[in-house]
Amino acid sequence: MGWRKVLRYFGLALLLPGAVASAQLVDNTQAISTSKAGINKSLTDEVGAGRGDLMTPGSSIYIINRDPFRSVRRGRQLFQRKFTQAQGQGPNVGDGVGDINANNAIGAGLSDSCAGCHGRPKGSAGVGGDVNSRPDSRDAPHLFGIGLREMLADEITTDLRNTQTLAVALAIQRRRPMTMRLVSKGVDYGSLTAHADGTVDLSHVTGVDPDLRVKPFFAEGSEFSLRSFILTALNNELGLQASNDPDITTASAGGRVVTPSGMVLDGSKDKIPAPPAPDPKDGNEIDPAIVDHYEFYLLNYFKPGHGQQDERTERGRKVFNRIGCSGCHMADFIINHDRRVADLETDYDPVRGIFNSLFATATPLINVIDDGSGQPTLKQPAGNSFLVQDIFTDFKRHDVGVGFYERNWDGTIQTTFMTRPLWGVGTTAPYGHDGRSISLDDVILRHGGESLKSRNAYAKLPHEESDAVLAFLNSLVLFPPDDTASTLDPGNPATAGFPQFGHGSIKLTVLFNDPGDPE
């Protein structure tokens, strides 16, 4: 598909049928309904020809490379799928029995869908349920923009490790200690000192583990790979085992592999947990092709949007910066090599917005290549640099005071946490990794430790300035993809049955090789 054809498809959405999705979806091949609001393919059809390769139609590798927007949509449907017991769902790890001090997954709640924890806004990887992985529980975060977070953290890791390699080489060459700052993308992680014998003093490294691997996932920063994250969640929360995943198996054994989403997993540099053991009754329950689509979906998941911006929100942004909040909640980062196939900008637009006051503009980020195989063209990520705006994090761990400390099952106290990205924060109440703060004002005033100075500065603001800060934060929003008008489906209020029909959506179907074959 050429560029012009891709862009022309943006105007065809109203001509093509598509079911409206909700947070959790049933399988239309299993649960019959008149509305047919659900997943159109069976789980067997979603597995297709398995992992396959570029020349195996219906395989995950084939679809990701030749029909990538279908893979994104399929991953989303799998994310929302209500898995059945016949498909291996439940019980979860140990069925709640065992030593939770050693394995906190025993406390994970059993669900039958990823959307059980990440369910709203409608049709999205939004905010959701309570996750009892700690005695005080956790508030499941939204997953908007999670692929951008994986890429940024991975590039920062590469920069930090390259600095260490350079410091060691110089120390050996010059036969004296070499101290170098660890800085990447404007974030300072302290310093290291390399010695002439090749050893490295990492005692002054801050905000990251001594292996210099930045781990942006989970509140405490304990995971860096979307693929590993997926296998863990399937096992712990759904009781579904992807025990023969070839990528995680290879990496956990010390090998190097590039996943279908382009993520390099190198077990010689990082400790990567092995896949879960097979189910005692059913064996392996999740085909690697399913994990491929999950990973590709989350890599490409839409970033949060912006609600109405005005003088008040602009003033709030300036005050936010002035009182030092931006020291940890940094707004913008550049990705050097973007592995996504599209970007989506979602902004306040009361004219074109129909079900809400937002409108999304989709931009393909692909190179279309005819490989001469007679198969559909390759549609591969362009791999250009990309400016990630208004993410508001620094990819570091911080001690932000006893108000955020949490108990672990073994009685220890977790004192440091990754800086939570603030994009989408306006629609993610309650706040804090534990959901203990009801309002944005509460969670700001809860800060202490490294953030105490900024917290106190906020507490002393006149009401008009603190209100402006809150207005600014509340303008950082999530959105329901199935109910947000876009260039892919601008909507039409004259449609019969409006607003249940014709309200516009972010409809990837129009970008499929065969738009008439719905997922």
Side-chain angles (χ1 to χ4, degrees):
M1 183 187 297
W3 273 99
R4 292 178 181 175
K5 191 172 183 181
V6 169
L7 294 172
R8 188 163 65 248
Y9 264 10
F10 284 8
L12 297 180
L14 294 177
L15 304 178
L16 299 167
V20 174
S22 57
Q24 179 172 294
L25 295 179
V26 297
D27 184 333
N28 288 334
T29 70
Q30 298 174 167
I32 300 171
S33 69
T34 302
S35 67
K36 299 186 182 300
I39 301 170
N40 292 303
K41 295 188 184 301
S42 68
L43 184 59
T44 299
D45 287 338
E46 289 179 321
V47 172
R51 180 165 245 201
D53 55 34
L54 290 175
M55 300 302 292
T56 308
S59 69
S60 58
I61 300 295
Y62 182 98
I63 295 172
I64 286 170
N65 285 275
R66 299 189 187 274
D67 199 359
F69 301 103
R70 180 181 294 277
S71 178
V72 174
R73 179 66 177 178
R74 183 168 296 184
R76 176 174 161 188
Q77 300 288 59
L78 287 162
F79 190 92
Q80 296 173 275
R81 170 176 282 277
K82 175 182 170 67
F83 282 91
T84 67
Q85 292 182 18
Q87 293 163 344
Q89 180 268 341
N92 59 346
V93 177
D95 198 17
V97 178
D99 183 0
I100 200 169
N101 295 311
N103 183 5
N104 66 11
I106 291 173
L110 180 63
S111 180
D112 57 9
S113 170
C114 298
C117 289
H118 306 280
R120 307 299 282 184
K122 179 181 176 183
S124 73
V127 292
D130 176 73
V131 181
N132 194 27
S133 58
R134 300 296 191 283
D136 300 314
S137 75
R138 280 187 175 171
D139 183 35
H142 74 77
L143 304 180
F144 280 74
I146 193 171
L148 293 168
R149 291 168 59 195
E150 180 189 61
M151 287 187 284
L152 284 168
D154 192 46
E155 290 188 357
I156 292 172
T157 298
T158 298
D159 288 347
L160 300 183
R161 289 177 170 177
N162 285 343
T163 297
Q164 176 172 316
T165 299
L166 176 60
V168 170
L170 290 175
I172 294 173
Q173 178 186 5
R174 299 177 183 180
R175 299 180 182 179
R176 62 181 177 83
M178 290 295 301
T179 298
M180 300 187 72
R181 300 297 302 178
L182 289 165
V183 179
S184 173
K185 299 186 188 295
V187 183
D188 190 330
Y189 290 87
S191 64
L192 58 77
T193 300
H195 298 285
D197 62 359
T199 61
V200 182
D201 179 1
L202 298 166
S203 61
H204 295 288
V205 173
T206 61
V208 66
D209 288 336
D211 65 359
L212 305 182
R213 166 57 74 177
V214 177
K215 301 173 182 177
F217 307 137
F218 296 107
E220 73 280 3
S222 58
E223 181 57 77
F224 70 93
S225 157
L226 284 175
R227 196 171 189 94
S228 184
F229 171 92
I230 291 163
L231 265 63
T232 299
L234 286 172
N235 182 60
N236 293 359
E237 272 78 36
L238 281 80
L240 294 168
Q241 285 72 47
S243 54
N244 67 352
D245 185 83
D247 293 347
I248 297 300
T249 298
T250 298
S252 65
R256 182 182 185 276
V257 66
V258 181
T259 76
S261 294
M263 180 65 175
V264 176
L265 301 178
D266 190 340
S268 69
K269 297 179 179 179
D270 295 296
K271 185 178 180 180
I272 298 169
D279 182 83
K281 178 182 177 182
D282 300 324
N284 182 70
E285 295 173 330
I286 295 292
D287 192 280
I290 294 296
V291 183
D292 290 345
H293 292 303
Y294 269 128
E295 184 187 18
F296 197 66
Y297 159 66
L298 291 176
L299 171 69
N300 286 279
Y301 198 76
F302 317 128
K303 62 182 185 284
H306 291 87
Q308 184 174 8
Q309 304 294 304
D310 53 26
E311 291 183 5
R312 190 181 185 207
T313 58
E314 183 58 30
R315 183 182 185 186
R317 181 188 288 263
K318 291 178 179 177
V319 175
F320 179 89
N321 293 334
R322 189 186 78 217
I323 63 177
C325 299
S326 58
C328 294
H329 295 285
M330 298 169 60
D332 303 337
F333 291 84
I334 293 178
I335 287 178
N336 299 327
H337 180 81
D338 190 354
R339 294 188 273 116
R340 299 173 303 154
V341 295
D343 183 60
L344 195 79
E345 286 289 343
T346 308
D347 297 300
Y348 179 75
D349 190 335
V351 175
R352 292 185 294 173
I354 295 178
F355 222 145
N356 52 47
S357 298
L358 298 171
F359 189 85
T361 301
T363 303
L365 303 173
I366 56 174
N367 290 326
V368 179
I369 303 169
D370 185 351
D371 63 348
S373 66
Q375 301 289 344
T377 54
L378 296 169
K379 301 169 189 68
Q380 299 182 331
N384 297 324
S385 63
F386 182 84
L387 177 62
V388 181
Q389 296 179 290
D390 287 355
I391 183 172
F392 295 108
T393 183
D394 63 356
F395 294 93
K396 286 180 65 174
R397 294 193 191 101
H398 294 278
D399 181 339
V400 288
V402 295
F404 284 95
Y405 290 2
E406 69 176 6
R407 298 177 296 164
N408 295 314
W409 289 110
D410 63 3
T412 59
I413 300 295
Q414 181 71 37
T415 62
T416 59
F417 299 90
M418 293 295 293
T419 301
R420 180 72 65 93
L422 295 183
W423 56 3
V425 72
T427 44
T428 56
Y431 301 102
H433 58 272
D434 47 18
R436 283 175 161 173
S437 298
I438 303 303
S439 69
L440 284 169
D441 184 67
D442 287 339
V443 77
I444 294 171
L445 293 175
R446 185 175 160 191
H447 281 64
E450 296 175 47
S451 58
L452 182 61
K453 183 177 179 181
S454 296
R455 178 265 181 210
N456 289 343
Y458 170 83
K460 294 177 182 178
L461 291 173
H463 285 302
E464 59 271 18
E465 289 198 336
S466 60
D467 287 349
V469 170
L470 298 178
F472 158 61
L473 294 175
N474 276 309
S475 74
L476 305 174
V477 299
L478 305 182
F479 54 89
D482 286 328
D483 300 319
T484 299
S486 73
T487 50
L488 297 172
D489 179 5
N492 182 3
T495 302
F498 181 84
Q500 280 68 38
F501 300 90
H503 54 253
S505 68
I506 301 168
K507 187 178 290 184
L508 297 179
T509 310
V510 299
L511 300 176
F512 292 0
N513 286 350
D514 179 5
D517 177 21
E519 287 293 318

Short mmCIF file of all heavy atoms in Angstrom, two decimals, residues 7 37 44 105 169 220 229 267 277 279 290 294 350 357 366 369 372-373 378 403 421 470 498 516:
data_model
loop_
_atom_site.label_atom_id
_atom_site.label_comp_id
_atom_site.label_asym_id
_atom_site.label_seq_id
_atom_site.Cartn_x
_atom_site.Cartn_y
_atom_site.Cartn_z
N LEU A 7 -3.31 7.26 2.98
CA LEU A 7 -3.99 8.49 3.38
C LEU A 7 -5.40 8.56 2.82
O LEU A 7 -6.31 9.09 3.46
CB LEU A 7 -3.16 9.71 2.92
CG LEU A 7 -1.80 9.84 3.60
CD1 LEU A 7 -0.99 10.95 2.95
CD2 LEU A 7 -1.97 10.11 5.08
N ALA A 37 -21.71 -7.22 18.91
CA ALA A 37 -20.71 -6.30 19.43
C ALA A 37 -19.65 -7.10 20.18
O ALA A 37 -19.78 -7.38 21.37
CB ALA A 37 -21.36 -5.27 20.36
N THR A 44 -8.80 -19.52 17.85
CA THR A 44 -8.04 -20.32 16.88
C THR A 44 -7.70 -19.49 15.64
O THR A 44 -6.58 -19.55 15.12
CB THR A 44 -8.84 -21.57 16.47
OG1 THR A 44 -9.07 -22.37 17.63
CG2 THR A 44 -8.08 -22.38 15.43
N ALA A 105 3.02 -12.94 43.41
CA ALA A 105 2.00 -13.21 42.40
C ALA A 105 0.86 -14.04 42.98
O ALA A 105 -0.25 -14.07 42.41
CB ALA A 105 2.61 -13.94 41.21
N ALA A 169 37.28 1.73 29.01
CA ALA A 169 38.30 1.73 27.96
C ALA A 169 39.32 2.84 28.19
O ALA A 169 40.55 2.63 28.05
CB ALA A 169 37.64 1.91 26.59
N GLU A 220 7.62 0.11 41.27
CA GLU A 220 8.98 0.10 41.81
C GLU A 220 10.04 0.03 40.74
O GLU A 220 11.23 0.06 41.03
CB GLU A 220 9.15 -1.09 42.78
CG GLU A 220 9.24 -2.45 42.12
CD GLU A 220 7.92 -3.06 41.70
OE1 GLU A 220 6.89 -2.38 41.85
OE2 GLU A 220 7.89 -4.21 41.21
N PHE A 229 6.58 -8.59 30.40
CA PHE A 229 5.43 -8.05 31.13
C PHE A 229 4.16 -8.81 30.76
O PHE A 229 3.35 -9.17 31.61
CB PHE A 229 5.30 -6.56 30.79
CG PHE A 229 4.05 -5.88 31.26
CD1 PHE A 229 4.02 -5.23 32.48
CD2 PHE A 229 2.91 -5.84 30.48
CE1 PHE A 229 2.87 -4.58 32.93
CE2 PHE A 229 1.76 -5.19 30.90
CZ PHE A 229 1.74 -4.57 32.13
N GLY A 267 20.07 -11.78 27.08
CA GLY A 267 20.24 -12.39 28.39
C GLY A 267 21.65 -12.33 28.93
O GLY A 267 21.86 -12.59 30.12
N ALA A 277 6.01 -22.10 33.98
CA ALA A 277 5.92 -23.54 33.71
C ALA A 277 4.59 -23.85 33.03
O ALA A 277 3.60 -23.13 33.22
CB ALA A 277 6.03 -24.31 35.01
N ASP A 279 0.96 -25.37 32.20
CA ASP A 279 -0.16 -25.73 33.05
C ASP A 279 -0.13 -27.25 33.31
O ASP A 279 0.06 -28.02 32.36
CB ASP A 279 -1.47 -25.34 32.37
CG ASP A 279 -2.68 -25.64 33.23
OD1 ASP A 279 -3.01 -24.81 34.10
OD2 ASP A 279 -3.29 -26.71 33.03
N ILE A 290 0.08 -15.31 19.65
CA ILE A 290 -0.78 -14.44 20.45
C ILE A 290 0.07 -13.40 21.18
O ILE A 290 -0.28 -12.21 21.23
CB ILE A 290 -1.59 -15.27 21.46
CG1 ILE A 290 -2.59 -16.19 20.74
CG2 ILE A 290 -2.30 -14.38 22.46
CD1 ILE A 290 -3.66 -15.47 19.97
N TYR A 294 -0.03 -9.25 21.00
CA TYR A 294 -0.11 -8.46 22.24
C TYR A 294 1.01 -7.42 22.26
O TYR A 294 0.79 -6.22 22.53
CB TYR A 294 0.05 -9.36 23.46
CG TYR A 294 -1.20 -9.93 24.07
CD1 TYR A 294 -1.31 -11.30 24.29
CD2 TYR A 294 -2.25 -9.11 24.48
CE1 TYR A 294 -2.43 -11.84 24.88
CE2 TYR A 294 -3.37 -9.64 25.08
CZ TYR A 294 -3.47 -11.01 25.28
OH TYR A 294 -4.58 -11.55 25.86
N PRO A 350 -13.99 20.86 19.87
CA PRO A 350 -15.44 20.76 20.07
C PRO A 350 -16.23 20.79 18.77
O PRO A 350 -17.41 20.44 18.76
CB PRO A 350 -15.76 21.98 20.94
CG PRO A 350 -14.67 22.96 20.64
CD PRO A 350 -13.44 22.13 20.37
N SER A 357 -15.28 15.94 23.28
CA SER A 357 -14.73 17.16 22.66
C SER A 357 -13.30 16.96 22.18
O SER A 357 -12.49 17.88 22.20
CB SER A 357 -14.79 18.32 23.66
OG SER A 357 -16.13 18.62 24.02
N ILE A 366 5.43 4.47 8.32
CA ILE A 366 5.88 3.24 7.69
C ILE A 366 6.60 3.50 6.38
O ILE A 366 6.37 4.52 5.72
CB ILE A 366 4.71 2.27 7.43
CG1 ILE A 366 3.63 2.95 6.57
CG2 ILE A 366 4.13 1.75 8.72
CD1 ILE A 366 2.49 2.03 6.15
N ILE A 369 7.40 -1.40 1.10
CA ILE A 369 8.44 -2.03 0.31
C ILE A 369 7.86 -3.23 -0.44
O ILE A 369 7.25 -4.12 0.17
CB ILE A 369 9.60 -2.51 1.21
CG1 ILE A 369 10.17 -1.34 2.01
CG2 ILE A 369 10.69 -3.18 0.37
CD1 ILE A 369 11.12 -1.78 3.12
N GLY A 372 9.07 -8.19 -3.97
CA GLY A 372 9.07 -9.04 -5.15
C GLY A 372 8.60 -10.46 -4.90
O GLY A 372 8.79 -11.34 -5.76
N SER A 373 7.98 -10.71 -3.75
CA SER A 373 7.58 -12.07 -3.40
C SER A 373 6.21 -12.44 -3.96
O SER A 373 5.84 -13.61 -3.92
CB SER A 373 7.55 -12.21 -1.88
OG SER A 373 6.53 -11.39 -1.32
N LEU A 378 5.61 -5.16 2.08
CA LEU A 378 6.05 -5.00 3.46
C LEU A 378 5.73 -3.58 3.90
O LEU A 378 5.93 -2.62 3.15
CB LEU A 378 7.55 -5.25 3.57
CG LEU A 378 8.04 -6.67 3.25
CD1 LEU A 378 9.55 -6.68 3.14
CD2 LEU A 378 7.55 -7.66 4.30
N GLY A 403 4.89 9.09 52.83
CA GLY A 403 3.50 8.99 52.42
C GLY A 403 3.29 8.04 51.26
O GLY A 403 2.17 7.56 51.03
N PRO A 421 4.64 8.81 34.95
CA PRO A 421 4.35 9.77 33.89
C PRO A 421 3.00 10.45 34.14
O PRO A 421 2.04 9.79 34.54
CB PRO A 421 4.31 8.91 32.63
CG PRO A 421 5.11 7.69 32.97
CD PRO A 421 4.85 7.45 34.42
N LEU A 470 -3.71 22.70 38.87
CA LEU A 470 -4.67 21.60 38.79
C LEU A 470 -5.39 21.59 37.45
O LEU A 470 -5.65 20.52 36.87
CB LEU A 470 -5.67 21.69 39.95
CG LEU A 470 -5.07 21.56 41.36
CD1 LEU A 470 -6.16 21.71 42.41
CD2 LEU A 470 -4.36 20.21 41.53
N PHE A 498 -27.81 7.28 15.69
CA PHE A 498 -26.86 8.17 16.36
C PHE A 498 -27.39 8.49 17.76
O PHE A 498 -28.57 8.67 17.94
CB PHE A 498 -26.71 9.46 15.53
CG PHE A 498 -25.73 10.44 16.11
CD1 PHE A 498 -24.39 10.33 15.85
CD2 PHE A 498 -26.16 11.48 16.93
CE1 PHE A 498 -23.48 11.24 16.37
CE2 PHE A 498 -25.26 12.39 17.46
CZ PHE A 498 -23.92 12.27 17.18
N GLY A 516 -12.48 -5.35 4.45
CA GLY A 516 -13.74 -6.08 4.57
C GLY A 516 -13.65 -7.31 5.44
O GLY A 516 -14.67 -7.97 5.68
#
